[in-house]
Amino acid sequence: QVQLVQSGAEVKKPGASVKVSCKASGYTFTSYGISWVRQAPGQGLEWMGWISAYNGNTNYAQKLQGRVTMTTDTSTSTAYMELRSLRSDDTAVYYCARTISSVGATYFDYWGQGTLVTVSS
Amino acid sequence: EIVMTQSPATLSVSPGERATLSCRASQSVSSNLAWYQQKPGQAPRLLIYGASTRATGIPARFSGSGSGTEFTLTISSLQSEDFAVYYCQQYNNWPPLFTFGPGTKVDIK
């Protein structure tokens, strides 16, 4: 069965960086993209960006351009999201999600369990 | 950038009743709209994609409709496990990006 398993919770100081991993299993990793979505405490869902596991192409949300980098390691079927220059408002649960792209429908069909990143001095 | 709105923010419904949730896009997204359910402490779960296609394993009481800018998620007879927050999501081809609505919380009346 399809599974996305994320790395554990992180506590970081303002200005630091965090790198969250997402290990995929149960499907051909390079056949799908991975998106990252975050959710601040008590808030809604915010799309951060997408990476093609096939060729490494990326699209990032404009507000995070320059601070976020998404990569994949096809040898281990793992996706990574690195966020730099952390601020207190980056405190959130970060999710990875398998991304389906088809004609007329692009969506997230499987999600990781989430990784809580806390930014605090 | 396409802005998504959802109404109402909170919907109070009795078990067994019908729930109708609305999602509006600031410009046409054709049928490129999905719905997700999220319970406290859990990751979102895909319910509907392509505006009206149920995802694998989703009960038939969930249905989606609409196209263009107006979309609806209907839960025909609410079960106890359906009380949750529901988000709509659109995908824009150019610039390529996803946008979520702010969510509708369905709670027990």
Side-chain angles (χ1 to χ4, degrees):
Chain A
Q1 74 283 20
V2 174
Q3 279 193 304
L4 299 173
V5 178
Q6 299 183 222
S7 49
E10 304 262 13
V11 179
K12 296 291 183 181
K13 294 194 181 304
S17 299
V18 68
K19 192 169 186 177
V20 180
S21 68
C22 170
K23 184 170 177 59
S25 61
Y27 71 97
T28 301
F29 182 65
T30 52
S31 294
Y32 299 86
I34 294 285
S35 290
W36 290 87
V37 175
R38 70 180 180 177
Q39 187 170 38
Q43 303 301 308
L45 303 170
E46 178 187 15
W47 176 74
M48 300 177 66
W50 165 90
I51 182 167
S52 165
Y54 173 71
N55 59 16
N57 286 349
T58 55
N59 287 322
Y60 300 137
Q62 188 169 9
K63 70 176 284 189
L64 296 172
Q65 291 271 4
R67 287 209 298 139
V68 67
T69 301
M70 296 176 187
T71 56
T72 59
D73 181 345
T74 56
S75 68
T76 60
S77 298
T78 303
Y80 298 92
M81 185 283 300
E82 181 180 32
L83 189 61
R84 300 176 293 279
S85 302
L86 289 168
R87 310 187 288 246
S88 57
D89 63 356
D90 292 317
T91 294
V93 175
Y94 288 75
Y95 295 101
C96 61
R98 191 175 81 163
T99 306
I100 301 289
S101 295
S102 61
V103 176
T106 307
Y107 53 93
F108 314 122
D109 65 343
Y110 287 93
W111 295 65
Q113 83 277 19
T115 297
L116 175 61
V117 175
T118 303
V119 182
S120 173
S121 54
Chain B
E1 181 178 328
I2 296 176
V3 177
M4 307 299 290
T5 56
Q6 291 186 243
S7 61
T10 303
L11 185 61
S12 296
V13 185
S14 299
E17 287 189 340
R18 182 186 195 91
T20 302
L21 289 65
S22 295
C23 173
R24 176 176 292 179
S26 60
Q27 62 191 75
S28 177
V29 300
S30 186
S31 295
N32 210 329
L33 186 106
W35 289 93
Y36 302 86
Q37 176 194 68
Q38 188 180 34
K39 297 178 182 178
Q42 296 185 17
R45 177 174 73 143
L46 176 69
L47 299 175
I48 301 285
Y49 63 91
S52 60
T53 303
R54 270 190 306 277
T56 303
I58 300 302
R61 65 180 181 272
F62 291 92
S63 63
S65 64
S67 66
T69 62
E70 301 279 345
F71 301 89
T72 301
L73 174 70
T74 302
I75 311 171
S76 60
S77 176
L78 267 155
Q79 306 298 302
S80 58
E81 61 267 29
D82 299 335
F83 293 98
V85 180
Y86 293 82
Y87 295 95
C88 60
Q89 165 255 310
Q90 70 85 25
Y91 173 74
N92 195 50
N93 282 318
W94 191 259
L97 58 84
F98 297 85
T99 311
F100 289 95
T104 290
K105 181 179 181 180
V106 177
D107 65 15
I108 301 174
K109 188 174 182 180

